[in-house]
Amino acid sequence: MDRVALRGLKARGYHGVFPEERREGQTFVVDLVLGLDTRPAAADDDLAKTVHYGIVAEEVVAVVEGEPVNLIETLAERIAQACLKHEGVQEVEVTVHKPDAPITVPFDDVTVTITRSRV
């Protein structure tokens, strides 16, 4: 299976279990790895035979900016389902970064990574 990756998609969301997270929001960062067969697109040099990663990026940002959820696990699942709606995408790995998570000790990042497929 071939891979198309999008790294560092940024969007402001209002996800979290604490009232201040829901009120103030924060930046979330998303990395995607889409699994698909790119041979038909490459053979014909045809965008219609692969995934349009620009559209995927816009849809992922819309999910992050959309309805708030408590957990980044839930957010990752919603993003994965949006990616799998694209016909050629057979598998997706989603990493959601929450670099401004409300943690009381020094840290660089909090992430959740999930992998989902059509099977």
Side-chain angles (χ1 to χ4, degrees), residues 6-79:
L6 291 91
R7 307 257 186 233
L9 295 171
K10 293 178 180 73
R12 187 158 191 85
Y14 294 83
H15 312 289
V17 295
F18 297 114
E20 60 273 12
E21 293 179 290
R22 293 296 183 102
R23 184 177 56 253
E24 298 168 18
Q26 60 192 287
T27 298
F28 292 84
V29 182
V30 178
D31 300 325
L32 302 173
V33 180
L34 307 171
L36 64 152
D37 183 359
T38 63
R39 288 176 292 191
D44 295 337
D45 199 26
D46 186 353
L47 176 61
K49 294 183 178 180
T50 188
V51 64
H52 191 310
Y53 52 79
I55 291 173
V56 172
E58 291 171 359
E59 292 172 354
V60 168
V61 165
V63 171
V64 175
E65 292 176 343
E67 180 186 349
V69 296
N70 289 330
L71 304 176
I72 59 175
E73 292 87 343
T74 306
L75 183 59
E77 184 68 35
R78 288 183 178 181
I79 291 167

